[in-house]
Amino acid sequence: MCGRFVSFTIGEGLTSALATVPGLPAPAIDLTDISKPNWNTAPTQQIAVVTVGEGLQEELYAEQTIVRPMRWGLVPSWSKSLPKTPMFNARGETAPEKPSFRAAFKRRRCLVPMDGWYEWKPGGKNGAAEGKVPYFTHHPDGALFAAGLWEVLSEPKSGTDLLSCTIITTESVGQLTWLHDRMPRILLADEAERWLSAEPQDARELLHPTDEEFVAQFQVQEVSRRVGNARVNDPELIAPVGEQDTLL
């Protein structure tokens, strides 16, 4: 699963990263006003989400790459209220058919930019630690793009629309299987545009686990248990254990 992630590639850094993704219209337009990195992104928070000329304001941004702010935790368009448990993940194996996600899968697929994510392992890697040990997983080359789904909930009383999203997860592969049996579906560069624009049947072909050779390049490091508190938000959270005293 993916219940916490890190996002420090924002603003111009994110639009520059998007410009390198094959097939995406460039330059990207950032509508988020997100000005600070988030070292401990948690469900229900506002995050940056990437779409291409689809849905809201498409008359202004047709066929352009758009970065929009959305609530992390998808709210189906037919909902009468916010779900009691935020739907921040969607299983790739069932998302196309599950009532909460199937409409979004057909017409509202997105990219969720992140610079890595946290996962907790009971007992740690060797099973000898007390309690759950947090680990930070990231790629040395920079920003990642996870497959996601998004929705719009119309709110006539307020006159505004609630934009929300979820992150697709699949089985873990390769070196990450020891950490957790699930992981975000991280898209390779040549998969990202296809995920956004393909017909639903073609998009289903991307619901397999992330390429194992790519996963082999990830770095996994034990980090401070401070990350368990969603109110704690600083760059020291991703420092490997052993470097904490130097940075704090």
Side-chain angles (χ1 to χ4, degrees):
M1 62 180 295
C2 177
R4 297 281 181 84
F5 69 89
V6 172
S7 178
F8 54 79
T9 301
I10 57 176
E12 292 183 3
L14 178 55
T15 56
S16 295
L18 288 168
T20 67
V21 178
L24 286 186
I29 300 172
D30 188 346
L31 304 178
T32 64
D33 290 329
I34 295 175
S35 59
K36 295 181 178 180
N38 194 333
W39 306 95
N40 200 0
T41 309
T44 76
Q45 293 181 358
Q46 290 286 301
I47 65 173
V49 176
V50 180
T51 65
V52 173
E54 183 179 354
L56 300 181
Q57 298 176 303
E58 69 176 318
E59 71 280 3
L60 299 177
Y61 306 110
E63 301 306 320
Q64 289 183 275
T65 302
I66 308 168
V67 186
R68 293 189 174 105
M70 295 190 190
R71 176 186 189 268
W72 184 26
L74 188 139
V75 182
S77 60
W78 41 261
S79 294
K80 301 300 182 183
S81 60
L82 295 181
K84 293 182 179 179
T85 301
M87 293 187 284
F88 53 89
N89 285 166
R91 294 177 67 91
E93 298 89 339
T94 58
E97 287 81 30
K98 192 170 183 177
S100 297
F101 305 127
R102 61 190 178 196
F105 179 79
K106 288 180 180 178
R107 61 179 182 272
R108 296 190 192 278
R109 296 185 296 276
C110 62
L111 306 179
V112 178
M114 62 173 65
D115 291 281
W117 71 93
Y118 299 107
E119 194 57 75
W120 282 258
K121 177 71 173 178
K125 189 169 186 178
N126 298 319
E130 182 179 346
K132 294 182 178 180
V133 179
Y135 293 85
F136 177 58
T137 300
H138 64 106
H139 194 280
D141 288 346
L144 302 167
F145 295 103
L149 307 173
W150 68 287
E151 266 294 2
V152 183
L153 176 65
S154 297
E155 298 183 323
K157 291 183 179 180
S158 65
T160 60
D161 294 319
L162 173 64
L163 305 185
S164 62
C165 68
T166 189
I167 293 174
I168 295 286
T169 67
T170 58
E171 292 183 352
S172 293
V173 295
Q175 66 153 328
L176 299 184
T177 56
W178 70 268
L179 180 58
H180 199 280
D181 62 348
R182 307 291 298 179
M183 64 175 285
R185 174 53 170 106
I186 303 300
L187 297 164
L188 302 186
D190 59 357
E191 294 176 323
E193 189 277 334
R194 182 181 169 198
W195 172 254
L196 292 175
S197 63
E199 293 298 319
Q201 194 57 41
D202 291 335
R204 282 175 179 264
E205 297 179 4
L206 294 173
L207 292 175
H208 57 76
T210 302
D211 178 75
E212 189 168 339
E213 291 187 8
F214 184 66
V215 170
Q217 302 170 29
F218 279 70
Q219 297 176 356
V220 183
Q221 59 207 39
E222 181 182 344
V223 294
S224 170
R225 299 194 187 206
R226 296 167 60 240
V227 74
N229 184 346
R231 291 173 295 190
V232 177
N233 198 323
D234 57 62
E236 287 80 12
L237 290 177
I238 67 171
V241 167
E243 297 181 12
Q244 301 291 326
D245 293 340
T246 302
L247 293 170
L248 292 176

